[in-house]
Every structure is written in structure tokens, then in C-alpha cells.
Amino acid sequence: MNEVLQVRNLKKVYGSRGALYPALDNIDLDIEAGEFFGIMGPSGAGKTTLLNLAATIDRPTGGSIYIDGTDLNKMNEEQLASFRRNKLGFIFQDFNLLDTLTIKENIILPLTLAKVNAAEIERRGHETALMLGIDDILNKYPYEVSGGQKQRAAAARAIIHKPSLILADEPTGALDSKSSAELLQCLSYLNEKQGASIMLVTHDAFAASYCKRIIFIKDGRLFTELNKAGSRKEFFQKILDVLAVMGGDNRDII
Amino acid sequence: MTLFSLTTRNIRKNMQNYSLYFVSMVFSIVVFYIFVSIQYNQQVAQTIGETTKTMLKLGAICVAVFSAIFMGYSNAFFTRKRKKEIGLYSLLGLQKKQVARMLFYENLVMGVVALGVGIIVGSLFSKLFVMLFFRLMGHFVQVYFAISPQAILTTAAVFLLIFTVISLYAYSLIYRFKLVDLFYAEQSGESEPKASPLLALVSIAAIGAGYVMAFHLFNNFNLYAPMVLALVILGSYGLFHSFIVFVIRRARQNSHRYYRGLNLISISNLLYRIKSNATLLATIAILNATTLTAMGMSYGIYQDINKAVDYHNPFSYVYWSNDSRDQAVDRVLARYPQNPLLHSAEISLISAQASMPGIDNMHLALVPESNYNELARIKGWEEVDITRQQDAVIVHSDYDTREDYVNKTVSLALDTQSKQDFYITDRRPCKLTNNTNTWTSMVLSEAAFAQLTKTQEPDSLRVLMVADQKNSQALTAELEKILPAYTWNAFYSEYMRNMEQRGMLMFIGGFLGLVFLLATGSIIYFRQLNEAQKEKLNYQILRNIGLSRSEIHTAIRKQLLYVFLFPLMIGIAHSWAALMALADLLVTDLVTSTIITIFVFTVFYYIYYLMTVKSYNLIVNSQR
């Protein structure tokens, strides 16, 4: 099995001298190719820090991250940008679609940046939109469509260039429960049928129950790990149990 | 914490936002102060004439009016930008009255500080500009440093009035905001801009028609000038609202180019920017055109001085001669070896009423062929050779009339009874002698002229040419004592009068141009920074997707380049047409001065572009 993401001894400290605040402490993590992986934890546990570090938007204080065997510490700003462009896909809570572009243009953006030829862009754009069921809104602008459609468009943008790893940061946070379920089904589909590796950060147990494996972090440290066995409902129950044990922030449990 | 200390804190914290506004404000005050201080300067008052004083006053008024408009605009921009902050104050329980008063104080404090700085800087530079002023007008005077209390008082009064009006406007703005609105972010996503091809065509046609009409201004200035302005201005607004949108939309349809790298982002952003900014950009294009035209014209007219004065005053001195005057003049000339006499000629003139095609009662100065040729040899004009007695050559240039009299017949009314017809075979585009003494002239054959002298005694005019005529102040002053007024004309006096007027025009044109440029530049700058704030999130998204900072920088540079370039290009086109039309109207050559003006303007404009890119980049693309 080859690992998409390897995290070794990861450490992140915020703040300047005098008022240091460790956000992540000694995290080790391996995500294999084709995994649907979840990270849970209460607010302030370091989930988003971990995601930002994996997303190469932020730099660790110590330790190292490998994506597809590449050490992120050894890359400079330019290289990281092109690495993000080619190897990573992002889905955010607030969609992060560009208002000035149509849904279609938003989806194909990563391909245009990679300078793929126009016919190929056209083909893949259509194919991806079809897969996510948004082919009928391609020529609309983000403000003309619903939140669920926006998030599926964002998902389409995240996978169109076939990245090694898709990073999803609370993707269901701004969606109603029906749209949430639809999106999560889309992600499962991408994971199972397309073999996409997904890292999902959430504190919503329902969303997390779609993952195959979940780690829980608390106060910057690994708390426990949970593997999916049995049905999604049983997995959901187990997640709730862990959250109850972990205490702290479980107010989002439905 | 009192309202006033909150105010001063606000200013200090917002200083970074305000800095360019503040600098522009100080600059306007400096320029105004300099205008006023020149007006009140003792040395200047002794040298310049009434007209020049009036022009200075008008210049100062222009600066004040324009400063008021531009400061009002910037101020409204800032107040709007702080909507949220104002909303927060209201939410915390400050009354609208208090918030409004706070903004009022804020504006006033800033205005007073700018006024102080402006007057100090203005005083420091006033000597330099008085020197420049004298230099442009061709005077070489030892200038003393002087601070004029009147100038300070006038500046303070005018600008305090402007600040008060602007502050009152800011005050009223608060009352128009609703608390809910203040917290709503600006509506993101406008509908996709639509461009009507018809409007695009109409606007281009209007501008084209305006250009063509500009070259026929001399036919009927009062009718055509407003029409040209209306066509070009309306056309420009149409152009930005339709044609440019149309062009960008076309670019969007070419998927090979559109789907390439950053083009997708740049082009779509540009389209939105142009659409929401169309009115502003068109206004800027017109301001650019006005600035360029004003600067180009004043510079061109200043540059043209030698040619124009030489045309209107081809000889050093011209006077109606008689023996006693000639002797007196010769005695004076002999005392000034620094201006030795180069040429002297005596010509005979008969003035006559003529009816020409199109004009019935025209003054004509008649001169015999030999006299004309003598003058022509001095000035290097083409000589004439009239073979038939009924032929004549007309002497006038486009300055006088654009009518073409060649191959037409002129009828001279010599006395009440008889008329005599002459056939015009040719034209010499010059002026026979200096300004006050002659009008349009006509060269006759020796025989025909001799015939005329039988009924009318010719006047005798003496024409002198001295060396170094531009430095003949003493000689000219001496001659003025012995020659009665209105019987003579000196190149030197005319040259100095022109230097003063054109130098003045240059001074005012240059300064006003600078103020305009500053204001225009600031308006685009603030507008773009405002957009940068709104676009911050979008650039964050792009960076997450994997655009490097340098790529984002490139995208910003490209996008802003077009925002700056469109109004500049249209401004240049308009001013080029305007200046060429003016050159045609004034019969001068403005090409060189126009090119130099455009170049200088573009350099300053480019600096604004660079500053905007830098600030924009800092807002959307800074390292955290």
C-alpha cells in the first residue's frame, strides 16, 4: 500500500515568545491512497491547523509532512503553489467559488492554470459536472444557485485535475441536512468509484460517519482512532460514544 | 473617552488609508497657495499687467473648484468605506448625532492639519515658483524670499470653507445610512454585463463625428464647439458602457485563449470591473483628455512663441516715416552698437477699400512690386513677378483668413467715383510688416501702383532690422521716447508681451494639469483599493487552488494595466484630436508639444499605476 499522506512528529506552535500556544503536538499520521479519512475533535483541538499544514498553506514548527512521498519542508513558496495546484483539491465550508466566474469556469479553473488544451478542458469539465449532477447549471453564476449546488461545484473543482488528495474543511457546515447528505454521498462516490483520497475535517458526527477511518484529536494531541466496521448507523453510534468520552465540544451532535 | 479623543485616535489609526488623500489635499493647498502668493508678491505686482493678474486669479479659482470636487469625492469614498465601523458605533449606543459629529471633527482636524502643512510647504516653495514664473515670462529678476500674510489668509479662508462644506456632507451621509444596511456586506455578484452592439456602434460613430467636426471649428466655433464636446463626451460614456464590454466579451468566447492560464481570471475580473466602473472610467478618460489638452495647448502655445511673434512682427521696428523722424531714429540707432542696423527699407503704401468675393468692405494695403521684393529679400520670402498691369498678388496667411482669393477678382474703390479691378494670380503666406501698421496686403505692378499714386498720395513706412532684437530693451525704450504712440511698432515689445501672456498660460496650464492629474490618479487609486478589499477572499481562494504569489501579482498587474490603459488611450486619442484641431484653428504646429505632453503625462500616470499595483498587491497578496 502506498501512502498519500505521511505525517511525522508534527508540531505547530502559535504566538511569539512569552505567549506560546501549542496547536499541534507530536502528531503521527498515515493516509493510504484511496482512503476516505476523517479528522474530528472539539473546537480549538487543532483540526484546521492540521488541515492547513497538509494543505501547504501553513508551515509546521517541527516535524515533517510527506504527500505522495514528497517532503513539504523541502519546497519553497513557488514549488508549494504548483504542488497545491497539481496534487491537492480543496473543499471549504463557505464554498470559495469566484463570483465573477460561471459554475463551469469555476470548475475548470485548475485545468486552465495547468494549461491543459481547451478541448480537453471542455470534455473533463462536462464529465465531472455530470458525475456530480450539476451539468444543468454550468452556465449560471454562483449567486444564482443553491448552497448544495455550490458545494458540489466546489467538489467538482477539487477533483477535476485528479489530485492525489482532496482536503475538505467542514464542507457541510453551511448546508442544510438534505444538501449535506447529498454532498457526502457524492464524496463517497468519488472515493469508491474514482478512487479519490479524501481527508475530511469536521465536528459533525453525521458527516464523519461517511468516512472509513477517523482520528480524534484533542488539545493538539491524537486522542483515538476509529475504523469503520458494519453499517454507517453503527459507525455513527461509535463516533458519538468517542465524542462523549472525549467530552468537551459535542454540542454539534445531532 | 471623549468624542474628540476617539476622533484623533481614529485619524491616527486610519492614517495609512488616508495618506494619499492627505498628500493630494496638501498638494492642492500648496498649488492654491502658490497661485495666491504670486498674486500678492510685491515683485510680481510691479512687473505684470492687469490681464496677467486676472489670469492668475482665474487659475486659483480653478484650483479651488477642482480641489473641492476631488476632496468631496475622496471623502465620500472614505465615509462609505467606514460604514461598518459607523454601524458598530451605532450598535454600541452612540447616537447618530454623536457619530456624525465625530466624523465632522475628524474631517475638520485633518483639513486643518493639511492646511497647516500645505501653507508651510507652499511658503518654502513659493520663491522657487516665483522664479519659475518670471523665467517662463522671460524676465530675469532677483527674487527674494517673502511670506505673504494675505496669501495665507486667503488660502486658509478658501480651504476652511471647502472643508466645512465637505464635512457637512459627511455629516449628512450618516443620517442617510440605515443600521441594517451598514452591516450588510456589499452585494456580491452583479448580473453579467450586457453590451448592446448598437450602442457600441453609435458611440464610436459619435466620437468619430466629433473628431471630424473638430476640424471644421473655424466655420462656426460657437455652434460646433459645444456639439463636438457633447458628441465626444457622450460617445466616451457609451464606449465604456458598451464597446469595451463588447470587446472583452468577444475575448471570452475564444476558448483557446480564454482557457489558458490566468486569462480566465483576468478577463472575467476585467469584465466585471469595467462594467461596474464604466462611468468612472469614462469620466477619467475625459479628465485625462482635458488635462492633456490643457497642458498640450499651453505648452504648444508657449513653444510657438518665436514663430508666432516673428510672423506677426517680421521686422525689428516699423514706423510711419518722415525726414525728421528718420534722422532722430538714426541718431538713436548709432548709440546702440550692441544692436547694429542690419537692414533698412522704405516702402510706399496706399490703403484702399476693396470688395472681394464674399466680403464687401475690406481694408487692403497696396504695395508696389519692387517694395515687396525688397522686404522679401530681407526676410527670405519668395519674391513676386507681376507681368500684366491688371494682375496682383495677395499677401495674407491663414491667421487672417482662410478664404482663397487666388484666381479671383478684387474691385478697388479708390475714391467715390472710380473702381478698378485686379485679378489675383498668386498668394504669399506672410505678413507684409508689423502688426499695427498693415492689414491684408496686395502687391501691384510698378505701373499699376504709379497709376494709383496719381489720385492718392502714398504713405511712407520705414522698416528696420537690427541684430539681436530679442535683447533690445534699451534701444526700444529710447525709440519709444522719440516716436509718437500708434505710429510705430517694435518686435521687442510684442515679444515681451507675448512672453508674459504665454508664459502665464504655460504656468497656469502646467499647474492645473498637475492638479487634475493628481486628482484623477487618486480617484482611480482609491477606487481600486476599495475593490481590492472586496476581492481579498477571491485571491485567498486562488492561492489555495495553487496560484503562487508571483502569479497573483502578475494577474493584478495585468488587470490593473487595462483599468489604467483604457482611459489613458481614450484620453490620448481625444486630446490628440483636440490639439490637432486647435493647431488647425490657431495655425500652429502642436505635434511636438503634444507628444512631449503625452509622454510626461504618461510617466506620471504610470507612477500612479505602479503605486496602485503595489497597494493592491499588499492588500490581497500579503504574507500573513
Side-chain angles (χ1 to χ4, degrees):
Chain A
M1 254 322 188
N2 59 336
E3 271 94 19
V4 174
L5 178 75
Q6 289 174 290
V7 172
R8 294 286 172 269
N9 254 330
L10 193 66
K11 219 177 155 162
K12 178 71 187 176
V13 181
Y14 285 122
S16 51
R17 257 182 306 151
L20 294 178
Y21 168 72
L24 286 178
D25 199 9
N26 265 327
I27 300 280
D28 285 295
L29 198 65
D30 290 277
I31 301 178
E32 286 168 5
E35 249 196 308
F36 191 167
F37 181 82
I39 299 175
M40 289 200 76
S43 294
K47 303 186 297 282
T48 302
T49 306
L50 181 57
L51 184 103
N52 282 346
L53 291 173
T56 75
I57 306 171
D58 205 354
R59 295 267 196 173
T61 316
S64 39
I65 304 175
Y66 301 86
I67 294 180
D68 261 0
T70 322
D71 187 352
L72 299 187
N73 283 343
K74 296 217 173 94
M75 284 194 266
N76 63 26
E77 169 90 31
E78 284 305 286
Q79 289 168 322
L80 283 178
S82 86
F83 181 83
R84 277 203 292 280
R85 178 189 297 179
N86 299 319
K87 300 273 182 169
L88 299 178
F90 294 92
I91 308 173
F92 298 93
Q93 177 172 356
D94 45 5
F95 321 126
N96 278 2
L97 296 174
L98 297 174
D99 281 332
T100 56
L101 301 180
T102 60
I103 296 291
K104 176 179 161 192
E105 289 165 353
N106 264 297
I107 294 174
I108 62 172
L109 195 56
L111 295 185
T112 69
L113 296 179
K115 302 202 163 76
V116 177
N117 74 59
E120 172 76 5
I121 288 178
E122 205 64 60
R123 193 183 63 73
R124 271 167 62 185
H126 193 71
E127 185 185 288
T128 313
L130 213 58
M131 201 153 67
L132 290 166
I134 45 173
D135 52 313
D136 51 335
I137 52 159
L138 281 180
N139 289 320
K140 295 198 165 173
Y141 282 89
Y143 55 89
E144 294 173 316
V145 305
S146 74
Q149 288 172 319
K150 275 191 226 180
Q151 198 58 298
R152 273 183 281 159
R157 182 182 66 189
I159 60 159
I160 192 165
H161 54 304
K162 302 201 161 64
S164 307
L165 181 63
I166 297 168
L167 299 165
D169 187 7
E170 303 276 8
T172 57
L175 301 181
D176 59 64
S177 54
K178 185 170 165 282
S179 302
S180 288
E182 277 172 9
L183 179 79
L184 290 162
Q185 275 154 21
C186 279
L187 291 179
S188 291
Y189 172 86
L190 291 173
N191 172 247
E192 275 157 28
K193 297 285 177 338
Q194 304 286 314
S197 317
I198 302 173
M199 179 167 141
L200 174 77
V201 168
T202 184
H203 58 279
D204 172 7
F206 174 73
S209 68
Y210 281 82
C211 300
K212 289 178 183 160
R213 185 159 70 100
I214 301 171
I215 60 156
F216 295 81
I217 50 179
K218 188 185 179 185
D219 298 335
R221 285 167 204 268
L222 217 55
F223 184 73
T224 184
E225 188 176 321
L226 212 56
N227 275 292
K228 186 172 185 175
S231 73
R232 196 178 60 74
K233 286 237 171 73
E234 288 163 18
F235 192 41
F236 178 59
Q237 202 50 56
K238 276 191 196 161
I239 296 168
L240 291 185
D241 294 343
V242 174
L243 289 176
V245 174
M246 197 160 63
D249 185 359
N250 56 2
R251 52 169 193 241
D252 285 312
I253 294 166
I254 335 166
Chain B
M1 190 183 281
T2 64
L3 215 50
F4 191 75
S5 65
L6 192 62
T7 305
T8 43
R9 262 173 57 105
N10 272 340
I11 297 177
R12 248 180 293 134
K13 279 178 65 191
N14 282 322
M15 208 55 214
Q16 215 189 341
N17 288 332
Y18 279 138
S19 58
L20 194 74
Y21 172 57
F22 188 77
V23 168
S24 310
M25 210 154 63
V26 168
F27 188 83
S28 313
I29 295 167
V30 169
V31 172
F32 183 85
Y33 176 82
I34 286 171
F35 267 93
V36 180
S37 69
I38 287 175
Q39 226 171 292
Y40 286 117
N41 185 292
Q42 293 294 323
Q43 285 173 289
V44 175
Q46 285 158 11
T47 350
I48 61 172
E50 244 354 272
T51 337
T52 315
K53 262 183 210 157
T54 318
M55 279 170 81
L56 268 176
K57 243 176 228 157
L58 280 176
I61 292 172
C62 265
V63 174
V65 167
F66 204 74
S67 308
I69 294 172
F70 133 77
M71 288 196 288
Y73 180 89
S74 314
N75 200 275
F77 163 79
F78 282 121
T79 316
R80 254 180 236 122
K81 195 174 158 193
R82 294 172 60 191
K83 261 182 167 180
K84 243 187 190 149
E85 187 191 328
I86 292 164
L88 196 64
Y89 289 136
S90 305
L91 211 64
L92 290 175
L94 269 155
Q95 289 170 7
K96 270 193 174 176
K97 200 168 68 187
Q98 287 171 302
V99 177
R101 213 184 303 153
M102 190 187 77
L103 280 192
F104 182 79
Y105 289 151
E106 231 179 273
N107 278 312
L108 216 57
V109 167
M110 221 159 61
V112 170
V113 173
L115 192 62
V117 175
I119 288 177
I120 291 168
V121 174
S123 308
L124 291 178
F125 281 98
S126 69
K127 180 182 161 178
L128 181 71
F129 284 102
V130 172
M131 267 156 66
L132 180 71
F133 180 75
F134 277 125
R135 182 78 188 74
L136 279 175
M137 300 205 319
H139 296 296
F140 293 89
V141 182
Q142 177 70 43
V143 177
Y144 306 105
F145 181 80
I147 289 177
S148 147
Q150 287 142 301
I152 293 176
L153 278 177
T154 314
T155 310
V158 168
F159 276 86
L160 278 179
L161 182 73
I162 294 176
F163 292 142
T164 314
V165 172
I166 289 171
S167 305
L168 282 175
Y169 177 70
Y171 194 93
S172 76
L173 214 54
I174 306 305
Y175 284 91
R176 277 184 270 149
F177 288 156
K178 288 199 194 96
L179 191 55
V180 182
D181 295 342
L182 298 182
F183 277 100
Y184 261 106
E186 304 214 13
Q187 192 66 45
S188 60
E190 309 159 44
S191 56
E192 185 182 346
K194 303 252 184 307
S196 128
L198 184 70
L199 184 60
L201 281 177
V202 168
S203 51
I204 288 181
I207 292 176
Y211 283 4
V212 171
M213 212 180 265
F215 283 91
H216 294 279
L217 277 178
F218 53 82
N219 286 336
N220 189 343
F221 189 84
N222 289 339
L223 173 70
Y224 282 169
M227 274 172 73
V228 169
L229 282 181
L231 279 173
V232 171
I233 290 175
L234 291 177
S236 304
Y237 280 97
L239 195 71
F240 275 96
H241 276 283
S242 62
F243 182 70
I244 289 180
V245 174
F246 191 69
V247 168
I248 302 173
R249 274 168 61 99
R250 291 287 302 206
R252 215 176 180 184
Q253 272 154 24
N254 178 352
S255 56
H256 277 286
R257 283 207 34 212
Y258 188 47
Y259 288 171
R260 196 132 201 99
L262 292 168
N263 290 352
L264 182 71
I265 298 158
S266 300
I267 294 175
S268 65
N269 260 347
L270 196 60
L271 186 60
Y272 268 78
R273 211 164 285 257
I274 296 278
K275 185 67 183 177
S276 62
N277 284 337
T279 306
L280 179 83
L281 291 180
T283 310
I284 283 164
I286 288 161
L287 277 176
N288 283 346
T290 315
T291 313
L292 278 167
T293 308
M295 287 172 102
M297 190 183 71
S298 44
Y299 181 51
I301 287 177
Y302 186 70
Q303 257 212 335
D304 190 49
I305 185 162
N306 288 328
K307 215 181 116 227
V309 176
D310 185 64
Y311 171 78
H312 286 289
N313 307 278
F315 301 100
S316 306
Y317 302 101
V318 172
Y319 63 93
W320 296 110
S321 68
N322 57 38
D323 284 344
S324 64
R325 276 186 205 163
D326 287 355
Q327 282 161 16
V329 167
D330 284 338
R331 276 197 299 277
V332 172
L333 282 172
R335 286 212 307 277
Y336 288 89
Q338 66 268 40
N339 301 113
L341 185 65
L342 299 176
H343 302 282
S344 168
E346 192 99 20
I347 61 171
S348 303
L349 285 180
I350 292 177
S351 81
Q353 294 291 329
S355 63
M356 321 267 276
I359 179 165
D360 262 349
N361 221 343
M362 185 163 159
H363 243 11
L364 267 189
L366 305 176
V367 63
E369 188 183 348
S370 60
N371 281 176
Y372 174 82
N373 284 343
E374 196 177 352
L375 298 181
R377 278 193 293 278
I378 296 175
K379 290 301 289 185
W381 299 330
E382 196 189 340
E383 294 182 30
V384 298
D385 184 15
I386 300 167
T387 43
R388 299 192 310 168
Q389 205 176 325
Q390 66 271 37
D391 285 348
V393 172
I394 195 138
V395 181
H396 74 86
S397 86
D398 290 342
Y399 281 112
D400 307 308
T401 172
R402 278 169 203 258
E403 215 63 56
D404 186 11
Y405 296 119
V406 176
N407 295 329
K408 287 180 182 147
T409 304
V410 176
S411 175
L412 290 184
L414 297 166
D415 43 50
T416 41
Q417 305 95 18
S418 61
K419 279 189 191 306
Q420 194 173 347
D421 285 357
F422 285 93
Y423 181 73
I424 298 177
T425 57
D426 206 355
R427 177 193 141 186
R428 291 289 175 268
C430 52
K431 189 144 194 169
L432 190 63
T433 66
N434 292 20
N435 245 347
T436 51
N437 301 317
T438 43
W439 320 275
T440 300
S441 323
M442 197 162 77
V443 188
L444 303 179
S445 66
E446 292 303 315
F449 192 81
Q451 190 71 35
L452 291 179
T453 54
K454 286 177 189 159
T455 49
Q456 196 175 338
E457 184 66 24
D459 293 309
S460 171
L461 195 66
R462 190 164 180 224
V463 171
L464 299 172
M465 204 69 192
V466 300
D468 202 12
Q469 56 179 352
K470 280 182 193 166
N471 294 310
S472 57
Q473 189 184 10
L475 173 58
T476 307
E478 190 85 1
L479 287 174
E480 199 172 354
K481 287 180 200 150
I482 57 165
L483 291 169
Y486 305 114
T487 66
W488 74 300
N489 173 288
F491 169 90
Y492 179 78
S493 322
E494 288 302 307
Y495 179 70
M496 288 317 288
R497 195 174 59 82
N498 269 280
M499 272 301 258
E500 189 174 315
Q501 279 172 4
R502 289 164 192 245
M504 185 70 228
L505 195 66
M506 171 81 220
F507 189 79
I508 293 178
F511 253 121
L512 284 185
L514 267 181
V515 175
F516 266 54
L517 176 66
L518 200 82
T520 319
S522 308
I523 289 172
I524 318 187
Y525 178 86
F526 288 130
R527 182 61 180 240
Q528 293 311 315
L529 293 203
N530 196 16
E531 309 228 319
Q533 296 284 359
K534 282 192 239 161
E535 298 267 318
K536 230 172 163 171
L537 179 69
N538 285 349
Y539 283 99
Q540 179 68 45
I541 298 170
L542 289 173
R543 208 154 57 229
N544 286 347
I545 293 178
L547 234 57
S548 69
R549 285 179 202 282
S550 63
E551 281 171 313
I552 290 178
H553 198 153
T554 312
I556 292 168
R557 238 184 332 224
K558 225 187 208 173
Q559 207 172 288
L560 288 180
L561 182 67
Y562 285 109
V563 170
F564 274 79
L565 207 57
F566 283 138
L568 179 67
M569 276 169 17
I570 288 167
I572 286 178
H574 287 355
S575 68
W576 185 270
L579 286 168
M580 291 307 116
L582 270 169
D584 188 48
L585 190 68
L586 302 174
V587 201
T588 55
D589 181 13
L590 294 179
V591 174
T592 327
S593 61
T594 305
I595 289 172
I596 292 173
T597 310
I598 288 173
F599 177 76
V600 171
F601 184 88
T602 308
V603 168
F604 278 101
Y605 198 76
Y606 183 66
I607 292 172
Y608 261 103
Y609 164 71
L610 292 181
M611 272 166 54
T612 311
V613 169
K614 192 162 174 260
S615 305
Y616 200 111
N617 195 47
L618 212 63
I619 290 174
V620 301
N621 204 13
S622 59
Q623 311 271 350
R624 22 172 154 190

